[in-house]
Amino acid sequence: MPAIVVDHLAKHFSTVKALDDISFSVGKAELFGFIGPDGSGKTTLFRILTTLIVPDMGTATVNGLDVVKDYRKIRKDIGYMPGRFSLYADLSVEENLNFYATVFGTTVAENYELIRDIYSQIEPFKKRKAGKLSGGMKQKLALSCALIHKPSVLILDEPTTGVDAVSRLEFWEMLKRLKNNGITIVVATPYMDEASLCDRVALIQDGKLMAISTPSEVIKTYPWSLFSVKADDIFTLLNDLKSFPGVHTVFAFGQAAHVSFKERNMDEKLLSEYLLGKGHSGIKISPAEANIEDCFMELMIKT
Amino acid sequence: MKRFLGFVVKEFYHIFRDYRTLLILFGLPAIQLLLFGFVITNEIKDARIAILDQSKDEVTRRISEKVLSSGYFILDKNLTSYKEIEQVFRQGNIRLVLVFGPDFSKNLDKTGNARVQIIGDASDPNTANILVNYLQGILSNYLISLNAEKIPMQIVPEVRMMYNGQMKGVYMFVPGLMAMLLMLISALMTSLSITKEKELGTMELLLVSPLKPIQIIIGKVFPYVFLAFIDACIIIILGNTVFGVPVVGSVGLLLLESFLYICMALSLGILISTITSSQQIAMMLSLVALMLPTILLSGFIFPVENMPWILQVFCHIMPPKYFITIIKSIMLQGNGFRYIALETGIMAGFTLFFIFLSVKKFKIRLA
């Protein structure tokens, strides 16, 4: 039985459709990612799954329990980390953890094994007030608090937003380990690079699911030929590329531009000469593998 | 139960770590009581007066002496003409002018009718009124002593002010302040502390936890029951030691009634927090909707009986009014429960009503 089943779920706030007929399921011990821009409906979906709001239409179950009828039982089974830092800033690290442990009817000692990897990193600061922690440490504490009652399903709403790159990587390492412990994890993120770390990802925009697949499958569906183009002046490069005949899309991607062509057999030389003619220097053109971000951008254009 | 206790412990951490909350909780009652007790007082001592004595005979001198030795008045200036009266009032430090007509004792002896004029500064009407009354009292006392043997029949009332023999203003302020401060601390503080969790987003996590709504609510207000109770004791003790306001009746009954009132105010605070989502609105509601009626419409400062009937109707739905009646009855008159059963019942009714409303209104979900 899947851990989460969502069937034709819809929710609107006054005139805004936050969720529009969404269906998917998440298997046991799966790391399931939701990728989408701000305001795409991720938080609304998560609040329905955590029984905090009621859907207008459709049903959702967590561990076979209905989110509307059996909300009390579900609340014991899930660990939730809201998008905003929601711990008590005036309590210390230790006090926050102890508080959530008692509220869920357990103790820190009882489930210490589960959180040891994460908590051990912030334990040296356990007397510090939670409000005075750095962004990465706050997230680790919030995760520890969400995990302290050994939930079978973990729901994380943008846990790495505002966290530095190294801490983000560490955080995802931890999620992998938790998943290996048999915990189902649903995580939302605005970072495309994190999507490839999930077992499956769902691309969501304007309350609609645009694709659900494994990251490699999503990439395979990319239809166009893609090139990575570099030049010294990246800003004019982007503009010049857009006016090159036959170009489908141009996106900045780190230090390079990703250019897609609907035509399969694109001649690199032609492009190179065109850019030289525009006065660019240090031109490097190479065929590129599509990544999740390219796929997402493509899906966004389609709709 | 362990969950609940953990929650209460957390609440105490919040309170004791925020020195501003602590200051409001324990500083405010003491400061308010001292302020009200010392500053706002209806008794007037050492009012400055001027005397215009146009006869300067033995009788007027004796009357002046009596007036000035009464303790209420100090002679600021002896005037010599009517023109000066307006002038001294304008200077502002004179409250009252006493004018003796010409040939005072002569007239008194011959016709039995001497003229004396009292001019008050009614830009402050209450003070003027009180001073004029004091002065009239002194004059008529003198007259009685003068005629003690001549008049065969006289009615001398023997006035006794029950329950507050010296007519001290503080006797009125202590019960009123108790009603006001307990309302402030209980309703304002709880509504703030609950809406704070909503604002910070921690309510989201509490809702997702297995805590029941009633546990969250009671856990939130429990510390304030305790703290407000301490405040009630502070007010009673300060009132007694500093201002000599007695507790004639049973202290136990007084504390029990205070406890009931605190519960009532807390349930009102919970109600406010369930219908608001930000600390600011909760604060405005508590201050405007609770504090002003508590001060103005409870009989604390202005007597209910003198208000227009529409306001009197409002007064009767103000819970503090009943509490003030109760504490006055216990503290000053020493009445037992029998005399305040009705008021107690009304307060208990309010409490149940507010709790019922807030439980109905409390959201088990967001929005």
Side-chain angles (χ1 to χ4, degrees):
Chain A
M1 190 187 64
I4 296 174
V5 179
V6 168
D7 192 25
H8 295 293
L9 208 60
K11 174 82 188 174
H12 68 90
F13 297 107
S14 59
T15 58
V16 182
K17 270 189 180 170
L19 291 178
D20 190 1
D21 197 25
I22 279 185
S23 301
F24 65 90
S25 66
V26 180
K28 281 235 158 73
E30 192 177 2
L31 180 48
F32 193 92
F34 274 92
I35 320 288
D38 290 340
S40 56
K42 290 174 301 206
T43 300
T44 306
L45 176 63
F46 282 17
R47 283 186 173 164
I48 291 177
L49 289 179
T50 50
T51 76
L52 283 171
I53 53 179
V54 179
D56 296 337
M57 271 192 324
T59 57
T61 60
V62 176
N63 290 337
L65 300 164
D66 187 86
V67 291
V68 181
K69 272 186 296 175
D70 307 317
Y71 72 92
R72 184 139 283 157
K73 281 185 202 153
I74 291 181
R75 288 177 181 186
K76 289 195 178 88
D77 287 355
I78 51 170
Y80 174 46
M81 196 173 147
R84 250 167 84 202
F85 178 68
S86 302
L87 299 174
Y88 297 100
D90 56 340
L91 297 194
S92 72
V93 168
E94 204 177 19
E95 285 159 353
N96 264 299
L97 194 62
N98 278 327
F99 171 65
Y100 282 103
T102 24
V103 158
F104 279 92
T106 177
T107 59
V108 174
E110 207 172 301
N111 292 321
Y112 189 75
E113 271 310 299
L114 191 64
I115 60 161
R116 191 180 55 198
D117 285 344
I118 310 157
Y119 188 58
S120 61
Q121 298 181 31
I122 46 174
E123 218 167 3
F125 311 101
K126 64 181 179 186
K127 299 279 176 212
R128 195 181 285 187
K129 298 262 165 34
K132 298 221 162 90
L133 291 175
S134 72
M137 288 201 275
K138 274 182 185 168
Q139 298 308 87
K140 281 169 195 160
L141 176 59
L143 184 61
S144 304
C145 290
L147 278 171
I148 195 64
H149 60 292
K150 241 182 176 169
S152 61
V153 176
L154 198 54
I155 294 177
L156 312 171
D157 192 358
E158 302 201 356
T160 54
T161 300
V163 176
D164 67 88
V166 177
S167 297
R168 266 169 61 195
L169 247 138
E170 280 178 5
F171 197 85
W172 278 86
E173 286 299 312
M174 287 169 209
L175 294 190
K176 286 239 161 109
R177 251 174 271 151
L178 292 172
K179 174 193 121 88
N180 292 336
N181 277 333
I183 296 177
T184 310
I185 303 173
V186 180
V187 55
T189 175
Y191 298 115
M192 304 288 174
D193 56 327
E194 291 181 345
S196 50
L197 303 168
C198 300
D199 293 335
R200 282 195 301 154
V201 288
L203 302 184
I204 183 169
Q205 195 194 7
D206 293 332
K208 290 196 184 77
L209 283 185
M210 295 187 299
I212 307 176
S213 212
T214 62
S216 53
E217 283 293 322
V218 170
I219 291 164
K220 268 187 208 160
T221 59
Y222 191 75
W224 322 119
S225 53
L226 191 70
F227 292 91
S228 166
V229 182
K230 277 187 180 173
D232 291 340
D233 184 356
I234 186 90
F235 182 70
T236 47
L237 176 72
L238 288 172
N239 282 327
D240 289 339
L241 283 170
K242 273 176 195 160
S243 50
F244 184 70
V247 164
H248 174 53
T249 57
V250 180
F251 293 113
F253 202 86
Q255 290 302 306
H258 272 193
V259 192
S260 68
F261 296 92
K262 291 197 176 178
E263 225 173 301
R264 275 286 147 197
N265 40 7
M266 232 303 295
D267 192 354
E268 290 174 33
K269 267 192 186 157
L270 225 64
L271 180 61
S272 168
E273 278 162 19
Y274 165 79
L275 289 178
L276 273 173
K278 288 273 178 189
H280 283 281
S281 57
I283 301 166
K284 273 183 202 158
I285 303 177
S286 55
E289 282 281 309
N291 58 30
I292 292 273
E293 190 162 359
D294 294 311
C295 301
F296 187 77
M297 294 300 193
E298 182 57 33
L299 283 164
M300 272 172 59
I301 291 168
K302 267 192 201 164
T303 47
Chain B
M1 196 59 204
K2 231 184 126 190
R3 288 176 188 182
F4 175 71
L5 281 182
F7 196 93
V8 172
V9 168
K10 183 211 73 152
E11 262 340 282
F12 272 112
Y13 280 143
H14 285 321
I15 295 167
F16 287 125
R17 284 188 189 166
D18 184 4
Y19 65 94
R20 266 163 289 178
T21 313
L22 275 183
L23 205 66
I24 293 177
L25 274 175
F26 296 116
L28 198 66
I31 292 169
Q32 290 269 39
L33 185 66
L34 295 179
L35 270 182
F36 272 90
F38 282 120
V39 179
I40 306 177
T41 163
N42 295 337
E43 306 144 50
I44 294 160
K45 277 183 213 154
D46 298 342
R48 298 193 158 267
I49 61 167
I51 295 175
L52 171 56
D53 191 345
Q54 291 167 311
S55 28
K56 289 207 167 68
D57 53 40
E58 199 185 337
V59 183
T60 59
R61 207 175 305 132
R62 232 183 294 157
I63 293 177
S64 298
E65 262 167 31
K66 270 207 176 278
V67 168
L68 296 178
S69 61
S70 67
Y72 299 120
F73 303 103
I74 290 182
L75 180 66
D76 190 82
K77 211 172 182 185
N78 270 313
L79 306 181
T80 49
S81 74
Y82 264 103
K83 280 181 204 153
E84 282 175 275
I85 293 176
E86 175 102 35
Q87 205 185 328
V88 291
F89 272 131
R90 277 178 195 277
Q91 281 165 2
N93 47 357
I94 300 268
R95 296 286 186 174
L96 190 128
V97 176
L98 178 63
V99 184
F100 295 102
D103 304 323
F104 192 87
S105 69
K106 222 184 273 171
N107 284 345
L108 196 64
D109 279 340
K110 273 189 196 156
T111 63
N113 199 350
R115 292 161 63 84
V116 65
Q117 188 181 22
I118 301 172
I119 305 172
D121 175 3
S123 60
D124 185 351
N126 283 336
T127 312
N129 219 345
I130 293 168
L131 288 179
V132 168
N133 281 336
Y134 284 167
L135 200 50
Q136 277 177 332
I138 295 169
L139 287 176
S140 57
N141 270 345
Y142 178 76
L143 198 64
I144 289 169
S145 69
L146 215 62
N147 299 336
E149 285 131 43
K150 290 183 198 162
I151 301 171
M153 275 190 292
Q154 49 178 302
I155 299 173
V156 183
E158 193 174 304
V159 180
R160 191 180 148 218
M161 293 296 187
M162 288 269 280
Y163 310 125
N164 183 359
Q166 293 150 294
M167 302 274 279
K168 280 188 182 170
V170 162
Y171 279 39
M172 196 172 87
F173 288 120
V174 167
L177 263 185
M178 237 169 104
M180 189 181 100
L181 287 172
L182 293 185
M183 180 66 103
L184 181 81
I185 286 158
S186 311
L188 181 67
M189 291 301 204
T190 45
S191 65
L192 281 186
S193 91
I194 294 179
T195 44
K196 191 174 170 194
E197 300 245 6
K198 287 189 186 177
E199 262 184 13
L200 290 178
T202 44
M203 194 53 118
E204 210 170 325
L205 279 181
L206 291 181
L207 284 176
V208 175
S209 79
L211 280 176
K212 294 194 183 84
I214 192 86
Q215 283 177 314
I216 297 180
I217 288 183
I218 297 185
K220 280 255 128 198
V221 302
F222 182 81
Y224 292 100
V225 174
F226 177 71
L227 295 171
F229 201 68
I230 293 180
D231 271 336
C233 297
I234 291 179
I235 297 172
I236 296 172
I237 292 170
L238 264 186
N240 191 291
T241 52
V242 181
F243 299 108
V245 180
V247 182
V248 182
S250 142
V251 177
L253 184 61
L254 182 63
L255 292 181
L256 270 179
E257 294 286 348
S258 305
F259 182 73
L260 178 64
Y261 180 70
I262 290 168
C263 291
M264 196 282 306
L266 289 174
S267 55
L268 199 54
I270 296 168
L271 184 62
I272 290 175
S273 65
T274 54
I275 55 177
T276 55
S277 52
S278 83
Q279 291 191 73
Q280 272 194 346
I281 300 174
M283 179 121 94
M284 286 303 292
L285 257 181
S286 309
L287 286 179
V288 176
L290 297 181
M291 292 315 297
L292 287 181
T294 307
I295 297 171
L296 300 177
L297 297 180
S298 62
F300 168 20
I301 295 180
F302 307 108
V304 175
E305 292 77 12
N306 297 351
M307 295 180 192
W309 69 270
I310 182 89
L311 283 182
Q312 290 202 29
V313 171
F314 274 112
C315 291
H316 286 288
I317 54 171
M318 294 295 156
K321 172 184 176 287
Y322 298 99
F323 182 59
I324 291 180
T325 312
I326 289 172
I327 28 184
K328 274 187 183 165
S329 169
I330 300 175
M331 285 177 82
L332 306 181
Q333 301 180 322
N335 287 339
F337 181 73
R338 210 150 49 87
Y339 295 91
I340 49 172
L342 176 69
E343 281 83 359
T344 309
I346 292 173
M347 275 212 320
F350 272 119
T351 313
L352 290 178
F353 175 68
F354 291 141
I355 289 177
F356 171 76
L357 265 190
S358 12
V359 169
K360 277 208 91 172
K361 284 258 173 194
F362 188 84
K363 295 182 188 100
I364 52 164
R365 300 170 200 277
L366 287 178

